[in-house]
Amino acid sequence: MKKERREIKKLLVANRGEIAIRVFRAASEMDIRTVAIYTFEDRYSLHRYKADEAYQIGEEYDPLKPYLDIFKIIKIAKDNGVDAIHPGYGFLSENDEFADACEAVGLIWIGPKGSVMRSLGDKILAKQIAASAGVPIVIASPGAIENEKDLKAEAKRIGYPVMVKAATGGGGRGMRIVREEKDIVNAFNEASGEALTAFGNPAVFVEKYIDNPKHIEVQIIGDLYGNMVHLFERDCSVQRRHQKVVEVAPATTLRDETKRKLYRYALDICGELNYQNAGTVEFLVDAYENIFFIEVNTRIQVEHTITEVITGIDIVKVQILIATGMDLFDEEIGILSQEHVRYRGVAIQCRITTEDPSENFKPDYGRLVAYRSASGFGIRLDAGNAYAGAKISPFFDSMLVKVTASGNNMAAASDRLHRALREFRIRGVKSNISFLLNLLKDEEFRSGKTTVNYIKERIDLTSKKPKWRDRGTKLLSYLSEVIVNGNPDVRKLDTEITFEKAKVPEDTHLEYQNGTKQLLTALGPEKFAVWLKNEKQIHFTDTTFRDAHQSLLATRVRTYDLLNVAESYAKKHGHELFSMEVWGGATFDVSMRFLKECPWKRLEKLREAIPNTLL
């Protein structure tokens, strides 16, 4: 193939958060102008401000789906002189239609070709490719399951336990473990529905479930000319609900012979399709170190950082250079050959998330009251939207920051990562730091013997909590409370504040007309309720007198001010209303804390001024 170079002057990242920022940084080092897209919900997210240019996509009411809108993303790119698109991970990163659409309009797609993504993105077809390359696979249904009869037949043929699994996508979505036939239909429906929501494709298949293996993946990079190398393996066995939590590079307990097989299998699978750009080949390895192919992720991985740390190779930068047409073994990339690729030490990555480990990792949302990062020798941080004042949205992934630590061995890296996690201060939302601290001191983890069931079997990792006192935030909260509301321990003069008689409008000569208050008195509660249920017309409640002490003017609306208009309002409009809302929790804050008034007397005076309407 003739070697041609294409220039990238401006690059758009069709993603958000941490991975968008990661790609921007690589591009900036290459003097490439960067472009971000963001939804209205994401308008304060850091990735918007880390780019040279940023454009909103979608409407105010749509926080997530615009990131999946191929047409609009490409339109933004073409309208703003973009040369290339990097998809990051998640969202459209493994969407072959997106890759094809970019190439069709002359945009450089930073990833494998759409045809390769179609072949490997379909897990069923990927297994067939692996088998033809001589790679051992997990026994599975020959294609997508379409009905209940075939579902039960395939599960019985394969033998329980089985995994019902989405045919496309990743990230642990659309996957269910089934150990008995009575659960297979429900698992099928759940996995199919989740796959449709997450990936737009409800297709699922069934494969044999390997009990308690290690999850090992191999990083692959190939160029446009058939050159390909591996960047060694990552141990991603520490998972929860099929989603990776902590990753280690390299795998510290596998035999060298097993590792060599993994590298060969990964290269053979990708070689079948002349794979281009970065990709990850995933395997299960059982207790006897038998290897089973799972899938190929045709994108950058969340955990690519640990491979970068141990090899010194900037995978994202290599992705961009390969997409321009550079030879993988060019001196600018620095790989030169497979033999030149070396690794040193051990790297561990963990993901700090806004989840509560003591509540089964329930996601937490809100505003970050305080945020302090770690730093120091051997620590790398890849943050998305983590800063004091940041809003943690329920619409997006709960990850705040990825922390990567390196050391000469597993113990050194674990200790360094433990130290870094202790430096973090995250206030306002729950985090999983306590769980990670327990894990990093656990001997099973430090020995490298963890399997995919490690977290599920170790409840003690979530039950032990550090004795954090959060003194700084508590002190600041107390000081702000005293500054605004006064010291609660200082006695105040118990005096009644009096006002002049309210100057009421001239139309108070009008008589009160009977309203719902008189009707309630006449009918009694039960008959009044019957009357209301039989009413066809719309009845209105006026909330003005309540909103008066919940508005921006909350501390200034006095009883005196309300009484200035109450009588006139009641005489002219009270009989037309069903009720008036004059009560709320803010009544106490406003009356007692700020105005030094009695809230009960406020209500008594309002009742006197408004005798004809329910309050």
Side-chain angles (χ1 to χ4, degrees), residues 483-516:
I483 290 168
V484 174
N485 297 321
N487 192 324
D489 297 324
V490 177
R491 294 175 61 86
K492 294 183 176 65
L493 294 176
D494 188 15
T495 58
E496 175 74 15
I497 296 178
T498 59
F499 302 104
E500 300 174 19
K501 181 172 175 56
K503 295 178 181 179
V504 296
E506 294 178 359
D507 53 16
T508 52
H509 67 277
L510 299 172
E511 296 295 325
Y512 286 107
Q513 297 184 54
N514 288 343
T516 50

Side-chain angles (χ1 to χ4, degrees), residues 320-565:
I320 297 171
L321 291 170
I322 285 174
T324 67
M326 182 176 285
D327 188 310
L328 179 63
F329 299 140
D330 190 286
E331 287 189 3
E332 187 176 343
I333 289 179
I335 289 177
L336 303 181
S337 70
Q338 181 68 70
E339 290 69 33
H340 278 85
V341 181
R342 295 281 190 271
Y343 72 83
R344 178 178 179 179
V346 172
I348 307 172
Q349 176 191 276
C350 69
R351 310 175 191 190
I352 297 180
T353 60
T354 56
E355 298 173 318
D356 186 355
S358 63
E359 293 292 333
N360 196 27
F361 294 91
K362 178 182 176 182
D364 196 18
Y365 315 111
R367 193 168 297 280
L368 282 176
V369 176
Y371 180 80
R372 189 176 82 198
S373 283
S375 59
F377 179 71
I379 295 296
R380 168 177 169 173
L381 303 179
D382 290 77
N385 206 31
Y387 57 89
K391 178 187 174 186
I392 306 304
S393 170
F395 297 107
F396 303 116
D397 187 88
S398 60
M399 185 172 71
L400 282 180
V401 57
K402 300 187 308 194
V403 189
T404 303
S406 58
N408 290 332
N409 51 47
M410 186 71 169
S414 297
D415 290 340
R416 183 164 287 155
L417 186 52
H418 195 280
R419 182 270 300 166
L421 291 176
R422 296 198 310 270
E423 284 187 25
F424 275 90
R425 292 294 182 273
I426 298 171
R427 302 291 182 258
V429 292
K430 302 281 197 316
S431 81
N432 65 337
I433 288 181
S434 61
F435 159 77
L436 295 171
L437 289 174
N438 292 335
L439 181 146
L440 290 166
K441 286 297 183 182
D442 184 65
E443 284 305 317
E444 186 176 352
F445 172 79
R446 294 166 73 92
S447 70
K449 296 177 181 177
T450 51
T451 64
V452 294
N453 292 327
Y454 169 64
I455 291 178
K456 187 167 62 175
E457 294 171 351
R458 296 295 304 276
I459 300 175
D460 58 311
L461 295 175
T462 59
S463 60
K464 293 185 291 185
K465 293 184 179 180
K467 295 179 180 179
W468 290 326
R469 291 188 286 176
D470 194 10
R471 292 169 294 183
T473 308
K474 288 177 179 176
L475 179 59
L476 287 173
S477 297
Y478 175 77
L479 290 173
S480 61
E481 174 73 19
V482 169
I483 290 168
V484 174
N485 297 321
N487 192 324
D489 297 324
V490 177
R491 294 175 61 86
K492 294 183 176 65
L493 294 176
D494 188 15
T495 58
E496 175 74 15
I497 296 178
T498 59
F499 302 104
E500 300 174 19
K501 181 172 175 56
K503 295 178 181 179
V504 296
E506 294 178 359
D507 53 16
T508 52
H509 67 277
L510 299 172
E511 296 295 325
Y512 286 107
Q513 297 184 54
N514 288 343
T516 50
K517 176 64 175 71
Q518 284 70 38
L519 187 60
L520 174 62
T521 302
L523 294 178
E526 292 183 3
K527 289 183 179 180
F528 182 83
V530 172
W531 166 80
L532 183 58
K533 287 179 182 178
N534 292 331
E535 282 287 285
K536 300 300 182 186
Q537 71 182 71
I538 296 174
H539 288 269
F540 294 92
T541 293
D542 187 316
T543 65
T544 310
F545 279 50
R546 175 193 172 134
D547 287 346
H549 31 73
Q550 299 215 141
S551 67
L552 293 174
L553 298 174
T555 58
R556 296 172 178 81
V557 181
R558 305 165 294 178
T559 301
Y560 174 84
D561 301 312
L562 295 175
L563 291 175
N564 265 330
V565 294

Side-chain angles (χ1 to χ4, degrees), residues 80-149:
N80 294 282
V82 167
D83 304 305
I85 288 183
H86 193 300
Y89 54 72
F91 291 129
L92 294 168
S93 61
E94 294 181 278
N95 188 301
D96 56 277
E97 293 180 4
F98 190 28
D100 288 342
C102 288
E103 293 287 354
V105 297
L107 291 168
I108 298 172
W109 171 258
I110 301 178
K113 288 183 176 180
S115 58
V116 173
M117 295 172 73
R118 271 188 290 282
S119 298
L120 294 174
D122 184 325
K123 294 182 177 67
I124 298 167
L125 184 56
K127 285 179 180 291
Q128 295 170 0
I129 294 169
S132 67
V135 177
I137 62 173
V138 180
I139 184 172
S141 57
I145 301 294
E146 296 183 353
N147 57 65
E148 192 173 312
K149 181 182 177 182

Side-chain angles (χ1 to χ4, degrees), residues 89-260:
Y89 54 72
F91 291 129
L92 294 168
S93 61
E94 294 181 278
N95 188 301
D96 56 277
E97 293 180 4
F98 190 28
D100 288 342
C102 288
E103 293 287 354
V105 297
L107 291 168
I108 298 172
W109 171 258
I110 301 178
K113 288 183 176 180
S115 58
V116 173
M117 295 172 73
R118 271 188 290 282
S119 298
L120 294 174
D122 184 325
K123 294 182 177 67
I124 298 167
L125 184 56
K127 285 179 180 291
Q128 295 170 0
I129 294 169
S132 67
V135 177
I137 62 173
V138 180
I139 184 172
S141 57
I145 301 294
E146 296 183 353
N147 57 65
E148 192 173 312
K149 181 182 177 182
D150 291 345
L151 173 71
K152 291 182 177 179
E154 281 300 310
K156 188 173 182 179
R157 178 184 69 83
I158 293 168
Y160 290 93
V162 297
M163 172 84 82
V164 180
K165 196 171 184 180
T168 57
R173 295 186 179 96
M175 298 167 64
R176 297 293 187 276
I177 300 168
V178 186
R179 298 187 180 277
E180 299 180 31
E181 186 177 8
K182 65 181 179 66
D183 300 320
I184 190 74
V185 174
N186 187 51
F188 171 82
N189 292 332
E190 288 182 0
S192 181
E194 191 170 87
L196 177 62
T197 301
F199 315 120
N201 184 351
V204 297
F205 66 100
V206 179
E207 69 178 14
K208 181 67 178 176
Y209 178 66
I210 309 298
D211 255 323
N212 216 28
K214 291 184 81 65
H215 185 136
I216 306 295
E217 61 187 30
V218 178
Q219 178 71 60
I220 294 294
I221 296 180
D223 65 16
L224 307 183
Y225 315 110
N227 301 312
M228 191 178 301
V229 296
H230 69 78
L231 302 185
F232 306 104
E233 79 285 355
R234 299 185 285 257
D235 186 343
C236 304
S237 302
V238 180
Q239 303 178 5
R240 191 180 66 83
R241 297 175 185 167
H242 312 298
Q243 288 189 301
K244 300 159 189 172
V245 178
V246 177
E247 301 92 358
V248 181
T252 59
T253 58
L254 293 182
R255 297 192 297 266
D256 288 341
E257 179 187 357
T258 304
K259 291 185 178 186
R260 286 192 292 271

Side-chain angles (χ1 to χ4, degrees), residues 55-73:
Y55 301 96
Q56 182 175 329
I57 187 167
E59 304 300 328
E60 181 174 339
Y61 54 81
D62 211 347
L64 196 60
K65 285 186 179 179
Y67 287 118
L68 301 172
D69 194 324
I70 293 173
F71 174 79
K72 288 184 179 177
I73 293 171

Side-chain angles (χ1 to χ4, degrees), residues 47-58:
H47 79 276
R48 172 188 177 181
Y49 302 101
K50 292 288 186 181
D52 297 313
E53 302 173 24
Y55 301 96
Q56 182 175 329
I57 187 167

